[in-house]
Amino acid sequence: MQRVDYRTTCLLPGGAVDKDESPAQGAARELREELGVAMTVDRGLAVDWVSADSINTPADMRFPGEILHVYDGGTWNNEQIASIQLPEGEIDSVEFVEPSRLHALMSPGDARRALSALRARINNAGPALLEDGRPIAPTVLDRAGILSTPRARHHLPFHTGPAPEPLVVIQSWGWLLAPDGRVLLLVEPDTGSACLPGGTPEPQDSDNPLVTLRREAHEEAAAEFAEPLLLGHLSETNRPYARLRYAAPLTHLGPPDTDPATGRTHIRVLATPEQTLELFDWGPPAADQLAAVHQARTRFGIPRAEQQPVTELPDAADLTTW
């Protein structure tokens, strides 16, 4: 986000194109001028038609409707962030923010456009076509409001193997893999928050984390899976807790039911493991967990998922026939 000296709301880096300049050339020039960063801009995320009435500017400054292009600037490492050089004037500061904060920081139309572009980046189905920031063909990510709610921040170290004594298992989650290599993901219908199947041990589970995972997968997603592999566990600093992570082939989905723990029926989707991590805030340790998922996938004989859009699942499916 950029805080500028001529608006009370924040902006993405960028600006208006110059004469005889393409939108991509204009975006690259604005990055040089505003951030001191030279990079190629070649992947579009969204094209937004903005009506004149929706622009919060004086009437004599409005265009008769305008087209805005949003591009993918990539994922920046610490070295790239440290290289940012702001010009004198215009740009007061820059910061990286949780997507759910966009509505509080930007004008309503700018926030809608930015979130739509981020969802298009995750969905990997090409640029989204927008009108006043709203997709004209909403995806399941748009309909569910993905990224509108703060993602839980769990930058916990991942360790392969079982949890050692005396750690207490407080969570058992599963990477349930479809035959095409994608993962079952659950989305809250009212908040857009995403999670893997699984949950907290209950007394009836008899301290068996696999019983917990099977029960939770059935309650949350009506999901059944074959023999799982333990990927490892997450630990917490100064707290004797462990969060187990499994992987297993997904075999069957029944009609979705109301989750007794939340009183809601989850939206069930398939996403690649990489898309799944985009919906969480697990930090650098997530790379180790992702590597363990792919190792388990290989052991199961399941192919690596091709890049494709996130797919909402039907009411029931026998995945052994895929």
Coordinates of all heavy atoms in Angstrom, one line a residue, residues 190-221:
D190 N -19.9 -17.6 5.5 CA -20.3 -16.2 5.9 C -19.0 -15.3 6.1 O -19.2 -14.1 6.2 CB -21.1 -16.2 7.2 CG -20.5 -17.1 8.3 OD1 -19.5 -17.8 8.0 OD2 -20.9 -17.0 9.4
T191 N -17.8 -15.9 6.2 CA -16.6 -15.1 6.5 C -15.6 -15.2 5.3 O -14.7 -14.4 5.2 CB -16.0 -15.5 7.8 OG1 -15.5 -16.8 7.7 CG2 -16.9 -15.4 8.9
G192 N -15.7 -16.3 4.5 CA -14.7 -16.6 3.5 C -13.4 -17.1 4.1 O -12.4 -17.3 3.3
S193 N -13.3 -17.5 5.4 CA -12.1 -18.1 6.0 C -12.0 -19.5 5.5 O -13.0 -20.3 5.4 CB -12.2 -18.0 7.5 OG -12.3 -16.7 7.9
A194 N -10.8 -19.9 5.2 CA -10.5 -21.2 4.6 C -9.7 -22.1 5.7 O -9.0 -21.5 6.5 CB -9.7 -21.1 3.4
C195 N -9.9 -23.4 5.6 CA -9.2 -24.3 6.5 C -9.1 -25.7 5.8 O -9.9 -26.0 5.0 CB -9.8 -24.4 7.9 SG -11.4 -25.1 7.9
L196 N -8.1 -26.5 6.3 CA -8.1 -27.9 6.0 C -9.1 -28.6 6.8 O -9.4 -28.2 7.9 CB -6.7 -28.4 6.2 CG -5.5 -27.8 5.3 CD1 -4.2 -28.3 5.8 CD2 -5.7 -28.3 3.9
P197 N -9.5 -29.8 6.4 CA -10.4 -30.6 7.2 C -9.6 -31.1 8.5 O -8.4 -31.3 8.4 CB -10.7 -31.9 6.3 CG -10.5 -31.4 4.9 CD -9.4 -30.4 5.0
G198 N -10.3 -31.1 9.6 CA -9.7 -31.6 10.8 C -10.2 -30.7 12.0 O -11.0 -29.8 11.8
G199 N -9.6 -30.9 13.1 CA -10.0 -30.1 14.3 C -9.4 -30.5 15.6 O -8.3 -31.2 15.6
T200 N -10.1 -30.3 16.7 CA -9.7 -30.5 18.0 C -10.1 -31.8 18.6 O -11.3 -32.2 18.3 CB -10.2 -29.4 18.9 OG1 -9.8 -28.1 18.4 CG2 -9.6 -29.5 20.3
P201 N -9.2 -32.5 19.3 CA -9.6 -33.8 19.8 C -10.8 -33.7 20.8 O -10.9 -32.7 21.6 CB -8.4 -34.3 20.6 CG -7.2 -33.6 19.9 CD -7.8 -32.3 19.5
E202 N -11.7 -34.7 20.8 CA -12.8 -34.7 21.7 C -12.7 -36.0 22.6 O -11.9 -36.9 22.2 CB -14.1 -34.8 20.9 CG -14.4 -33.6 20.0 CD -14.8 -32.3 20.8 OE1 -15.0 -32.4 22.0 OE2 -14.8 -31.2 20.2
P203 N -13.4 -36.0 23.7 CA -13.2 -37.2 24.6 C -13.5 -38.5 23.9 O -12.9 -39.5 24.2 CB -14.2 -36.9 25.7 CG -14.3 -35.4 25.8 CD -14.2 -34.9 24.3
Q204 N -14.5 -38.5 23.0 CA -14.9 -39.8 22.3 C -13.8 -40.3 21.4 O -13.9 -41.4 20.9 CB -16.2 -39.6 21.6 CG -16.2 -38.6 20.4 CD -16.6 -37.3 20.8 OE1 -16.4 -36.8 21.9 NE2 -17.3 -36.6 19.9
D205 N -12.8 -39.4 21.1 CA -11.7 -39.8 20.2 C -10.6 -40.7 20.9 O -9.7 -41.3 20.2 CB -11.0 -38.6 19.6 CG -11.9 -37.8 18.8 OD1 -13.0 -38.3 18.3 OD2 -11.7 -36.5 18.7
S206 N -10.7 -40.9 22.2 CA -9.8 -41.8 23.0 C -8.3 -41.4 22.7 O -7.5 -42.3 22.6 CB -10.1 -43.2 22.6 OG -11.5 -43.5 22.9
D207 N -8.0 -40.1 22.6 CA -6.6 -39.7 22.4 C -6.0 -40.2 21.2 O -4.8 -40.4 21.1 CB -5.8 -40.0 23.7 CG -6.2 -39.3 24.9 OD1 -6.6 -38.1 24.8 OD2 -6.1 -39.9 26.0
N208 N -6.8 -40.5 20.2 CA -6.3 -41.0 18.9 C -6.5 -39.9 17.9 O -7.6 -39.7 17.4 CB -7.0 -42.3 18.5 CG -6.4 -43.0 17.3 OD1 -5.9 -42.3 16.4 ND2 -6.5 -44.3 17.2
P209 N -5.4 -39.3 17.4 CA -5.5 -38.2 16.5 C -6.1 -38.6 15.2 O -6.7 -37.8 14.5 CB -4.1 -37.7 16.3 CG -3.2 -38.8 16.8 CD -4.0 -39.6 17.8
L210 N -5.9 -39.8 14.7 CA -6.5 -40.3 13.5 C -8.0 -40.4 13.6 O -8.8 -40.1 12.6 CB -5.9 -41.6 13.0 CG -4.7 -41.5 12.2 CD1 -4.2 -42.9 11.8 CD2 -4.9 -40.7 10.9
V211 N -8.5 -40.8 14.8 CA -9.9 -40.8 15.0 C -10.5 -39.4 15.0 O -11.6 -39.2 14.4 CB -10.3 -41.5 16.4 CG1 -11.7 -41.4 16.7 CG2 -9.8 -43.0 16.3
T212 N -9.7 -38.5 15.5 CA -10.1 -37.1 15.5 C -10.3 -36.6 14.0 O -11.3 -36.0 13.7 CB -9.1 -36.2 16.2 OG1 -9.1 -36.6 17.6 CG2 -9.5 -34.7 16.1
L213 N -9.2 -36.9 13.2 CA -9.3 -36.4 11.8 C -10.4 -37.0 11.1 O -11.1 -36.3 10.3 CB -7.9 -36.8 11.2 CG -7.8 -36.4 9.7 CD1 -8.0 -34.9 9.5 CD2 -6.4 -36.8 9.2
R214 N -10.7 -38.3 11.2 CA -11.7 -39.0 10.5 C -13.1 -38.4 10.9 O -14.0 -38.2 10.1 CB -11.7 -40.5 10.7 CG -10.5 -41.1 10.0 CD -10.7 -42.6 9.9 NE -9.5 -43.3 9.3 CZ -9.3 -43.4 8.0 NH1 -10.2 -42.9 7.1 NH2 -8.2 -44.0 7.5
R215 N -13.3 -38.2 12.2 CA -14.5 -37.7 12.7 C -14.8 -36.3 12.2 O -15.8 -35.9 11.7 CB -14.5 -37.7 14.2 CG -15.8 -37.0 14.9 CD -15.7 -37.0 16.4 NE -14.5 -36.3 16.9 CZ -14.3 -35.0 16.9 NH1 -15.2 -34.2 16.4 NH2 -13.1 -34.5 17.4
E216 N -13.7 -35.4 12.3 CA -13.9 -34.0 11.9 C -14.1 -33.9 10.3 O -14.9 -33.1 9.9 CB -12.6 -33.2 12.3 CG -12.5 -33.0 13.7 CD -13.4 -31.9 14.2 OE1 -14.1 -31.2 13.4 OE2 -13.4 -31.6 15.5
A217 N -13.4 -34.8 9.6 CA -13.6 -34.7 8.1 C -15.0 -35.1 7.7 O -15.6 -34.6 6.8 CB -12.6 -35.7 7.4
H218 N -15.5 -36.1 8.5 CA -16.9 -36.5 8.2 C -17.9 -35.4 8.6 O -18.8 -35.1 7.9 CB -17.2 -37.8 9.0 CG -18.7 -38.2 8.8 ND1 -19.1 -38.8 7.7 CD2 -19.7 -38.2 9.7 CE1 -20.4 -39.1 7.8 NE2 -20.8 -38.7 9.0
E219 N -17.7 -34.8 9.8 CA -18.6 -33.8 10.3 C -18.6 -32.5 9.5 O -19.6 -31.9 9.2 CB -18.3 -33.4 11.8 CG -18.6 -34.6 12.7 CD -18.2 -34.2 14.2 OE1 -17.6 -33.2 14.4 OE2 -18.5 -35.0 15.1
E220 N -17.4 -32.1 9.1 CA -17.2 -30.8 8.4 C -17.5 -30.9 6.9 O -18.0 -30.0 6.3 CB -15.7 -30.3 8.6 CG -15.4 -29.9 10.0 CD -13.9 -29.6 10.1 OE1 -13.1 -30.0 9.2 OE2 -13.6 -28.8 11.0
A221 N -17.1 -32.1 6.3 CA -17.1 -32.1 4.8 C -17.7 -33.4 4.3 O -17.7 -33.6 3.1 CB -15.7 -32.0 4.3

